[in-house]
Amino acid sequence: MNFITIDKKDWAGGIDKSRKTFQVFGPVQDENGCQIKPLAPDLYPLMDAGVTTVMSPKSVLFPQTEKMLTATLDASHEDHHVMKPVEKADTPRAVLGIRPYDARAIQLVKLNFDNPDYQDPYWCGACAATTFVGLGVNRPGPCDFSTSTGCGPFSEEGLDVLLADLDDRYLAKILTQKGETWAAACGFDTKADAAESQALFDILKKEAEKNITASVDTDRLSEKSLLDLHEAPFWEDVAFSCINCGTCTYVCPTCWCFDIQDETKHKTATRFRNWDTCMSPLFTHHASGHNPRESKVQRVRQRFMHKLKYFVDKYDQGIMCVGCGRCVASCPVNIDIREVCKTMNNYEKE
Amino acid sequence: MDTCIEKIRTICADLLAKGEVQKVIGFAEGSIPMASRPIAVTAKADVEKLVFNSFCGLNLANYVADGLPKEGKIAVLAKGCDSRNLVTHMVENQVSRDQLYIIGIPCTGMVDKRKIAALFEDDITDFSEAGDTLTIVSPQKKETVSKKEMLRHNCRMCTHRNPVVFDVMAAEPVEEQTLDQPFADVDRIAAMDPDERWAHFQELTKNCIRCYACRNACPLCYCPTCFVDESAPQWVGKGQDKTDINTFHFLRAFHCAGRCTDCGACVEACPMGINVRDFTRKLNKDALELFGWEAGMDMEKRPPLDVYSPDDPDDFIK
Amino acid sequence: MENPYVPYPVRIDDIEVATEDKSLKTFTFVFLNPGDEEKFAYKAGQFAELSIPGVGEIPIGIASSPVEKGFVKFTVFRTGVVTSHLHNMKKGDIMGIRGPLGNWYPWEDLENKNVVIIGGGFAFTTLRSSIVYMLDPANRSKFKNIDVIYGARSPGMLLYREELFDWEKRDDINMHITVDGTDDPDWKYHTGFVPQVVEQNAPAADADTFAIVCGPPIMIKFTQPALTKLGFQEDQIIMSLENRMKCGIGMCGRCNIGKELVCKDGPVFTLEQINRTPKEY
């Protein structure tokens, strides 16, 4: 494993160098909070792991609105009404300052978009073109429960580079070939001693994990009966305050559900996809009017059952949650997934 | 503020024990600092879960129309603004007066959580209040601030802090404030030239993620199918095209025109903290100036866009 | 990487009004690119997404049978934005088809077995595909007895009427056609709801008999007990479910019932599998 020291004085210059080959994304503070944005030439990422972004970086691979296919409706064209894929540039991109839990989330989402039966070319193309440069979280916030979900503040899963913030410099652990390419494009080449660096990472990881105050138990979820959990009496209470907006699903890095819509403008038809939310009454609404999840309780239950049970049973990769705490922080009515997980994990049918 | 929580709990325990109401809709303590959570209490023993403090900024009238039992009453805690929304619900036939037991709470305002969070560089771990004094703690520091300094904008502009309809009041009425410039924020935008004003609204909604938290937190938005969800015909696209985002916000504001009580639940709910009141406040001002109308003050009258009167200022109708 | 969202371009070759109230039409499609028909090779029980550019897509069971070459057929009920648009289209119009999607009726397990096919209303589409497949000379000997119980509200609402009457005349298939009611004095088949006709006419179950059931929720609700009475076990009852779908390939997440995705793990499930899922369909 290669380790590189990056003097913070050289950071901005390195990013600028990399802009020749990479489209750069990173956290930027604005009036509405910290957002992941494409970084214009004079913009640099906020490298403060203590500030959680409102939205996750999933939008870099999976934009909220994404064109998929187009067709011309002009009958004079030979190919009229034949839908063709929209050409995607898939230029290399680098997401800087990503939290380790967000990198794990991308690996979980990959199970959906890249599987033996079907591969989603838009998501997969974007993923292959993206280099993830993570920043270890030295001071996890009160909503961070990532150590309970199979990752943690210094987890390496899904990252190409992991940076440790050492006040005046970053210590970079290069994890993959993509990471090497990125570091080279920035001109970051000051090698650091491997053994010493790894030891430092181990210390920082331990310290950071000690600072995690929030946790959830998930150990008994897989042994519970799916139907028993589904029929459990606590869902009415859990669901009461929910207003069925899409906040939790949109801020969540592991939520991937989408809607497909067609729009026509003049003689061009476009098929695109938008993020969608299982919280919406329309999500499962049949054209006949029948709706399997007509009531709010059914929809709230679906969200937690999917994240904490269906996914567990289907993929055997733990829960469909990386403990980022965004839904907890953003939910307008303070529905807390940690509390629901505890209730489910402890549930015994009477 | 006299959070009057003991009185609230006593009233609720009594109502539930006597079977006068089937449930009480109120707030419970949140799981993170500065959060509260709407709750429905049905058992007398659970009234201890009820709280009332300076971050009960959502509008409980939002939970009333859906939560009605076929027979009997439900109780609901109502601040000044919430009570006006209950009046609107009654005038609009969403609920009848005899289905509700309204526990009125005179309110000195709710705090702006984002303004408070901005005082800190790290995450807040504790919050407590005593009267006008707020004490907020994070790993890095402790701050003591005046609640008045930290009020939400709509609370600073509030002229109806006392409930306008109630079955019982949980505390003594508070003094209403008079404002010199009740619509200074609206005037500022109105004074912009069209390009500036357009830019203002584009900037305002640049981070909107169409989560509809604003719409769903609003007690006025109870349409079985919202206009953005219609498919035949489809009025609004579902994507992030700026035109569609604008259409949603502007049109929703118009649907609330003459009905909005400026309770601020929309801004409170927004995960981005977008001040969507910039859309509705102008219409509130228009309702006042053109029709002498404030929403939810009169159980006998329907909102101005619902009715025609020969005294309407516009001539074109004549 | 193949793009599973791109439909095969097709041309509408024929449109038939399928029911007397015109709410259903049977569309025959021909693939524009000769190689696409082979790529679309499907099995009875599968569905496809019919795609109209600029309007949308709808998941519809394939009514034609794998043994029928040169075209594919779908019978579509007009109920929403896309189906209404489709009903207004004409012969020669170009659109798209994505598929084949989903799993199929378990043809390997059904070999050397008796098959009882039960259908109601316009859910008969994939059942037509199945019957034509089984009756094909190349396949008939693979199956033992074939019984079919199919009902609709009235004679004019039965799908594929001419074919039904033709099959009724054959001796290698037992047809029990029924209608809820009719004032046609020449109606020579059954009158009565499907569950009743099942109880009275379906063969009793044994280890070698399977039932394939496809119909509206209300029909399924009352047919199930009838089958249980006849001795069918839960793993001998095969059903095809519907759900709201968009991608059809198990990615958009909306058609799930528990951890099963109706578009990918289904739409064909045994009753035993369905009973292990939450009742959210």
Side-chain angles (χ1 to χ4, degrees):
Chain A
M1 204 99 302
N2 282 338
F3 290 84
I4 291 181
T5 307
I6 304 169
D7 194 316
K8 282 196 184 172
K9 289 199 232 87
D10 300 328
W11 176 245
I15 294 179
D16 287 332
K17 261 218 203 96
S18 75
R19 292 187 209 266
K20 282 202 205 80
T21 38
F22 287 94
Q23 196 190 0
V24 186
F25 291 78
V28 170
Q29 187 79 24
D30 72 12
E31 318 80 78
N32 302 122
C34 194
Q35 321 289 344
I36 304 273
K37 290 217 193 273
L39 299 177
D42 54 353
L43 216 47
Y44 301 93
L46 174 65
M47 298 291 284
D48 180 352
V51 178
T52 319
T53 54
V54 179
M55 307 294 287
S56 74
K58 76 180 176 185
S59 55
V60 178
L61 305 186
F62 179 38
Q64 183 162 5
T65 298
E66 180 169 27
K67 284 199 181 132
M68 297 199 300
L69 310 171
T70 51
T72 172
L73 304 176
D74 183 346
S76 68
H77 280 246
E78 195 193 317
D79 275 341
H80 70 93
H81 285 85
V82 176
M83 296 214 93
K84 305 220 171 85
V86 168
E87 287 304 316
K88 297 277 171 184
D90 277 343
T91 46
R93 32 195 118 152
V95 187
L96 308 180
I98 187 174
R99 307 293 182 266
Y101 47 59
D102 283 331
R104 170 172 161 82
I106 288 171
Q107 296 305 305
L108 295 181
V109 172
K110 195 170 194 182
L111 294 169
N112 182 58
F113 286 114
D114 186 355
N115 59 63
D117 305 305
Y118 295 105
Q119 298 84 47
D120 183 304
Y122 310 104
W123 193 94
C124 293
C127 190
T130 306
T131 303
F132 296 102
V133 179
L135 179 62
V137 186
N138 290 329
R139 310 168 276 148
C143 291
D144 182 336
F145 56 101
S146 53
T147 44
S148 305
T149 60
C151 53
F154 271 80
S155 139
E156 295 172 5
E157 186 186 354
L159 286 174
D160 297 297
V161 178
L162 176 58
L163 300 175
D165 188 338
L166 301 176
D167 293 330
D168 61 341
R169 65 197 193 284
Y170 296 116
L171 180 58
K173 183 171 181 180
I174 312 292
L175 298 161
T176 64
Q177 180 59 55
K178 264 191 188 165
E180 295 270 9
T181 310
W182 173 80
C186 297
F188 295 143
D189 55 8
T190 312
K191 289 211 182 343
D193 178 82
E196 274 176 34
S197 303
Q198 185 57 54
L200 196 47
F201 265 94
D202 291 339
I203 293 172
L204 289 167
K205 178 172 173 190
K206 253 214 195 96
E207 281 304 305
E209 287 179 0
K210 256 204 279 178
N211 286 329
I212 294 232
T213 49
S215 71
V216 295
D217 288 326
T218 60
D219 52 325
R220 280 179 281 154
L221 288 170
S222 54
E223 79 198 27
K224 303 270 179 223
S225 144
L226 193 151
L227 287 179
D228 282 350
L229 279 176
H230 191 262
E231 301 308 313
F234 53 74
W235 293 113
E236 292 276 351
D237 283 335
V238 170
F240 174 75
S241 60
C242 180
I243 57 174
N244 276 167
C245 62
T247 297
C248 53
T249 49
Y250 292 172
V251 302
C252 174
T254 59
C255 274
W256 63 59
C257 288
F258 58 91
D259 181 27
I260 300 180
Q261 288 278 316
D262 278 30
E263 280 185 13
T264 307
K265 189 166 180 180
H266 303 308
K267 290 285 181 188
T268 307
T270 311
R271 180 162 299 159
F272 55 93
R273 65 161 165 221
N274 298 319
W275 290 353
D276 205 352
T277 170
C278 55
M279 297 283 100
S280 159
L282 282 185
F283 194 64
T284 51
H285 180 100
H286 293 204
S288 62
H290 172 59
N291 191 342
R293 290 191 218 124
E294 208 161 25
S295 76
K296 179 168 82 168
V297 178
Q298 291 169 309
R299 295 192 290 271
V300 175
R301 172 176 60 186
Q302 153 67 17
R303 174 146 208 278
F304 293 113
M305 286 295 288
H306 186 198
K307 290 223 166 276
L308 305 173
K309 183 58 183 157
Y310 303 152
F311 184 87
V312 172
D313 284 356
K314 188 165 175 171
Y315 291 105
D316 199 22
Q317 303 248 352
I319 56 176
M320 186 181 162
C321 169
V322 293
C324 70
R326 290 186 178 96
C327 59
V328 177
S330 287
C331 174
V333 297
N334 187 229
I335 292 185
D336 194 323
I337 192 173
R338 301 170 297 181
E339 293 178 357
V340 181
C341 190
K342 183 173 171 186
T343 307
M344 288 170 71
N345 201 54
N346 293 341
Y347 178 64
E348 297 293 338
K349 185 172 171 181
E350 255 132 70
Chain B
M1 163 161 81
D2 169 9
T3 68
C4 55
I5 189 54
E6 286 312 321
K7 179 97 189 279
I8 292 174
R9 288 181 185 151
T10 311
I11 294 171
C12 293
D14 200 48
L15 288 170
L16 288 168
K18 293 203 185 114
E20 275 184 54
V21 301
Q22 296 191 16
K23 67 180 168 186
V24 177
I25 300 177
F27 290 100
E29 197 178 319
S31 64
I32 54 176
M34 298 200 292
S36 69
R37 173 187 294 177
I39 186 178
V41 172
T42 46
K44 179 180 155 192
D46 288 336
V47 299
E48 294 307 307
K49 293 187 188 163
L50 293 169
V51 301
F52 190 72
N53 50 42
S54 296
F55 28 89
C56 291
L58 291 178
N59 191 325
L60 293 178
N62 194 32
Y63 291 91
V64 161
D66 268 338
L68 293 171
K70 288 203 176 63
E71 278 179 24
K73 287 183 192 237
I74 58 172
V76 58
L77 267 53
K79 319 189 282 287
C81 45
D82 305 348
S83 71
R84 290 167 58 202
N85 280 104
L86 289 172
V87 169
T88 304
H89 267 343
M90 289 182 240
V91 166
E92 293 179 355
N93 295 319
Q94 295 305 301
V95 69
S96 61
R97 180 68 184 91
D98 56 12
Q99 288 178 294
L100 295 178
Y101 189 96
I102 302 173
I103 303 170
I105 309 183
C107 171
T108 49
M110 298 293 150
V111 297
D112 185 336
K113 302 177 199 181
R114 284 170 186 260
K115 195 167 177 186
I116 292 177
L119 298 174
F120 294 81
E121 289 196 359
D122 55 348
D123 290 300
I124 291 170
T125 49
D126 197 64
F127 179 107
S128 57
E129 59 179 310
D132 186 63
T133 309
L134 311 176
T135 310
I136 315 131
V137 180
S138 84
Q140 277 180 11
K141 65 175 177 179
K142 177 168 145 177
E143 284 265 0
T144 313
V145 291
S146 149
K147 177 173 153 174
K148 275 206 190 68
E149 306 291 312
M150 293 292 143
L151 284 181
R152 304 185 307 179
H153 184 256
N154 64 300
C155 297
R156 271 187 275 132
M157 297 291 117
C158 175
T159 52
H160 296 290
R161 300 153 126 195
N162 294 304
V164 301
V165 60
F166 54 87
D167 287 286
V168 69
M169 283 275 262
E172 291 303 307
V174 294
E175 204 183 312
E176 297 289 3
Q177 43 181 14
T178 42
L179 302 164
D180 285 328
Q181 298 219 288
F183 290 105
D185 54 323
V186 177
D187 296 333
R188 188 175 58 86
I189 300 173
M192 297 178 188
D193 68 46
D195 284 336
E196 255 186 287
R197 216 182 302 157
W198 182 253
H200 170 83
F201 285 108
Q202 296 314 296
E203 182 68 12
L204 186 68
T205 55
K206 68 180 180 202
N207 283 317
C208 174
I209 52 172
R210 299 287 288 275
C211 66
Y212 298 130
C214 50
R215 176 193 75 178
N216 292 8
C218 177
L220 301 173
C221 285
Y222 54 74
C223 288
T225 307
C226 177
F227 74 95
V228 289
D229 293 332
E230 288 285 2
S231 63
Q234 186 168 8
W235 306 112
V236 189
K238 305 214 177 204
Q240 285 295 80
D241 188 308
K242 292 270 177 225
T243 308
D244 294 321
I245 297 177
N246 285 327
T247 306
F248 163 61
H249 284 289
F250 279 111
L251 212 39
R252 189 181 92 82
F254 273 98
H255 288 176
C256 299
R259 304 159 68 222
C260 170
T261 58
D262 208 26
C263 71
C266 47
V267 184
E268 183 98 1
C270 177
M272 296 287 180
I274 298 173
N275 187 25
V276 289
R277 290 167 56 248
D278 274 355
F279 292 101
T280 47
R281 295 263 297 156
K282 162 70 173 149
L283 296 166
N284 289 356
K285 178 172 189 246
D286 283 353
L288 188 59
E289 290 177 356
L290 298 176
F291 302 105
W293 178 260
E294 274 188 300
M297 300 301 294
D298 192 331
M299 291 244 261
E300 307 303 315
K301 290 212 186 111
R302 293 191 69 89
L305 294 184
D306 259 11
V307 290
Y308 166 71
S309 148
D311 300 329
D312 266 343
D314 276 315
D315 279 344
F316 69 84
I317 200 90
K318 290 190 177 143
Chain C
M1 184 179 280
E2 213 187 302
N3 188 331
Y5 299 103
V6 180
Y8 298 120
V10 295
R11 191 182 66 246
I12 300 180
D13 201 49
D14 193 26
I15 307 177
E16 250 182 84
V17 176
T19 51
E20 65 187 355
D21 66 353
K22 301 198 176 77
S23 62
L24 283 122
K25 287 189 180 176
T26 298
F27 294 85
T28 307
F29 298 103
V30 167
F31 291 92
L32 290 188
N33 301 325
D36 286 348
E37 187 182 339
E38 248 188 86
K39 287 197 210 151
F40 189 79
Y42 61 98
K43 298 202 170 80
Q46 291 189 290
F47 70 99
E49 289 273 1
L50 301 183
S51 157
I52 306 179
V55 184
E57 289 189 323
I58 37 172
I60 307 283
I62 307 175
S64 54
S65 195
V67 298
E68 297 176 303
K69 305 290 180 200
F71 60 88
V72 283
K73 260 202 229 267
F74 294 82
T75 303
V76 182
F77 177 61
R78 183 192 48 201
T79 183
V81 173
V82 184
T83 48
S84 299
H85 195 274
L86 180 56
H87 269 231
N88 288 335
M89 287 171 77
K90 302 186 180 43
K91 269 196 251 195
D93 280 350
I94 311 260
M95 44 184 279
I97 297 186
R98 268 200 309 128
L101 302 171
N103 64 355
W104 44 90
Y105 297 123
W107 297 113
E108 270 120 39
D109 297 340
L110 291 174
E111 284 188 19
N112 294 317
K113 304 279 188 285
N114 302 311
V115 182
V116 182
I117 291 188
I118 303 167
F122 48 90
F124 196 70
T125 55
T126 53
L127 299 180
R128 175 196 177 278
S129 180
S130 306
I131 294 169
V132 170
Y133 171 74
M134 287 193 287
L135 291 180
D136 187 85
N139 299 321
R140 184 61 189 88
S141 53
K142 291 188 203 161
F143 306 98
K144 287 159 68 181
N145 295 332
I146 305 176
D147 285 83
V148 177
I149 297 126
Y150 172 41
R153 269 179 289 150
S154 64
M157 294 303 291
L158 288 164
L159 294 179
Y160 322 121
R161 247 158 291 136
E162 297 313 316
E163 283 177 305
L164 292 176
F165 302 151
D166 280 343
W167 294 335
E168 210 272 335
K169 297 191 186 91
R170 294 169 70 128
D171 57 8
D172 56 355
I173 180 170
N174 304 320
M175 295 294 295
H176 301 279
I177 307 166
T178 179
V179 291
D180 294 356
T182 176
D183 42 15
D184 173 0
D186 297 322
W187 178 252
K188 41 190 170 132
Y189 309 108
H190 297 275
T191 311
F193 296 124
V194 167
Q196 272 170 266
V197 179
V198 166
E199 223 181 295
Q200 289 157 6
N201 297 91
D206 57 24
D208 283 344
T209 309
F210 286 81
I212 302 180
V213 186
C214 214
I218 187 83
M219 186 208 93
I220 296 192
K221 182 173 171 185
F222 289 104
T223 304
Q224 233 182 272
L227 288 172
T228 311
K229 240 200 205 152
L230 287 162
F232 284 86
Q233 302 298 313
E234 283 181 357
D235 58 353
Q236 290 172 290
I237 301 175
I238 299 160
M239 299 169 51
S240 184
L241 294 183
E242 283 180 353
N243 222 353
R244 180 175 168 123
M245 296 178 186
K246 283 280 179 169
C247 72
I249 55 174
M251 283 192 192
C252 75
R254 92 186 41 234
C255 67
N256 77 301
I257 303 174
K259 64 179 167 77
E260 316 301 323
L261 290 165
V262 177
C263 71
K264 194 169 162 190
D265 304 306
V268 175
F269 294 100
T270 63
L271 183 57
E272 188 196 359
Q273 288 169 318
I274 289 176
N275 284 342
R276 279 192 262 127
T277 67
K279 298 274 167 290
E280 276 179 0
Y281 52 88

